[in-house]
Amino acid sequence: MEKMMESLKEFVWDIIGYLIPGAFLLIVFNFCLDKREFEYDDFLIDWEVFGTSLVVIVSYVLGYLVYSFTKYKIYLQDRLIKFIIYLNYSRDNFITRFFKKRHSEEWKEQFKNSKLYEAAIAKLKVEYPTIDTMEINEVRNILMSKNPTQSETIYTFMFRSSIFDHVSTIFMLVLFIYLIQLFTSIELLKDDIQYKYIYLSMLISVPLLGNSKRFFFPKAMRIPFSNL
């Protein structure tokens, strides 16, 4: 019964984790798209004709699209950071330190060198002789299986981290379309003065959302190691 409840909990987290970003994408584009460029009143769906169930399904599917964009965003971001560090000749200065902190894998290097991680590996080595070769995610899964009571806190932090990341992706997608619109004849987004302030707010929010993601994600990964 306990395993079934745990599986149900993971299923619910999975549904919500895709549903919220997809719904937010739908809301943002429904708000920002210039309806004068389209023959229908609402983006993708007519909210009055179709029921709530269709909105939920569309949001869930769009959530997977947002997730794919987020993964690709992280990939491009890491490649750009590596290139900037390379141009800086990997010197240990402000530029290198600033960009290294924003690499998605940087926290792993720092955590692997921490006393907490070393203590966890030393304690588990008797039971798992090859644990030195395992990734942090694999070690974390072992620790979570030994202490399942902490899973709710971990899922909460992971969920917050992913939401910050997905919202950032959606804002960047809107800003990318608006940038194209500035230099072409395409007019997909509303261009009134109040919307320009909204786009500026999105631009300012992107690095702030990134900082919040970098706060919650490593914390979620470290929790199992802190409860040995």
Side-chain angles (χ1 to χ4, degrees):
M1 185 66 180
E2 186 177 340
K3 288 185 177 180
M4 187 179 73
M5 291 301 295
E6 189 67 25
S7 299
L8 180 62
K9 188 188 297 183
E10 291 182 13
F11 175 74
V12 171
W13 275 112
D14 180 73
I15 294 293
I16 295 174
Y18 288 109
L19 189 62
I20 291 179
F24 187 66
L25 176 69
L26 201 61
I27 291 169
V28 168
F29 274 89
N30 193 65
F31 179 74
C32 293
L33 281 180
D34 191 345
K35 297 181 177 64
R36 292 171 297 185
E37 298 298 317
F38 302 93
E39 296 180 357
Y40 38 81
D41 294 329
D42 292 302
F43 174 60
L44 290 182
I45 56 176
D46 188 332
W47 300 86
E48 296 180 358
V49 174
F50 294 100
T52 306
S53 58
L54 183 57
V55 177
V56 171
I57 293 171
V58 171
S59 298
Y60 183 66
V61 173
L62 287 176
Y64 280 91
L65 182 65
V66 174
Y67 177 82
S68 300
F69 275 124
T70 298
K71 296 293 287 184
Y72 191 62
K73 177 195 72 175
I74 294 171
Y75 168 77
L76 290 178
Q77 176 181 292
D78 288 348
R79 293 292 299 268
L80 178 61
I81 288 172
K82 284 184 177 180
F83 182 67
I84 292 173
I85 293 174
Y86 171 77
L87 291 179
N88 195 42
Y89 299 104
S90 300
R91 289 174 292 196
D92 186 19
N93 54 24
F94 172 77
I95 295 174
T96 299
R97 291 192 296 271
F98 177 84
F99 284 101
K100 277 188 73 174
K101 286 180 180 179
R102 282 146 183 83
H103 194 285
S104 65
E105 300 292 321
E106 176 63 17
W107 73 271
K108 285 186 178 181
E109 298 300 321
Q110 294 181 358
F111 186 52
K112 279 188 173 181
N113 295 325
S114 68
K115 297 295 182 182
L116 177 62
Y117 185 76
E118 290 176 3
I121 294 299
K123 189 169 184 177
L124 292 171
K125 197 169 181 63
V126 176
E127 190 175 355
Y128 303 94
T130 60
I131 199 166
D132 287 334
T133 62
M134 294 184 185
E135 295 291 332
I136 293 179
N137 289 359
E138 296 171 321
V139 180
R140 187 198 70 153
N141 291 339
I142 292 173
L143 294 172
M144 285 180 65
S145 67
K146 292 179 176 294
N147 190 2
T149 57
Q150 61 191 355
S151 61
E152 186 172 346
T153 303
I154 295 169
Y155 289 143
T156 300
F157 283 170
M158 290 293 289
F159 178 73
R160 291 175 183 175
S161 169
S162 64
I163 289 298
F164 281 124
D165 215 6
H166 294 325
V167 171
S168 169
T169 299
I170 293 169
F171 284 173
M172 290 179 70
L173 188 59
V174 172
L175 292 169
F176 179 71
I177 294 173
Y178 186 68
L179 181 65
I180 294 175
Q181 183 170 304
L182 288 176
F183 297 99
T184 64
S185 58
I186 299 173
E187 295 183 4
L188 294 176
L189 301 177
K190 295 174 182 175
D191 198 30
D192 303 324
I193 185 64
Q194 62 267 31
Y195 286 94
K196 291 181 179 179
Y197 286 121
I198 292 173
Y199 303 143
L200 178 61
S201 300
M202 290 181 179
L203 181 62
I204 295 171
S205 298
V206 167
L208 301 178
L209 291 165
N211 287 338
S212 298
K213 180 244 180 163
R214 285 187 293 273
F215 173 79
F216 281 106
F217 184 76
K219 188 179 287 290
M221 298 297 289
R222 289 188 179 100
I223 288 175
F225 295 87
S226 305
N227 292 277
L228 275 173

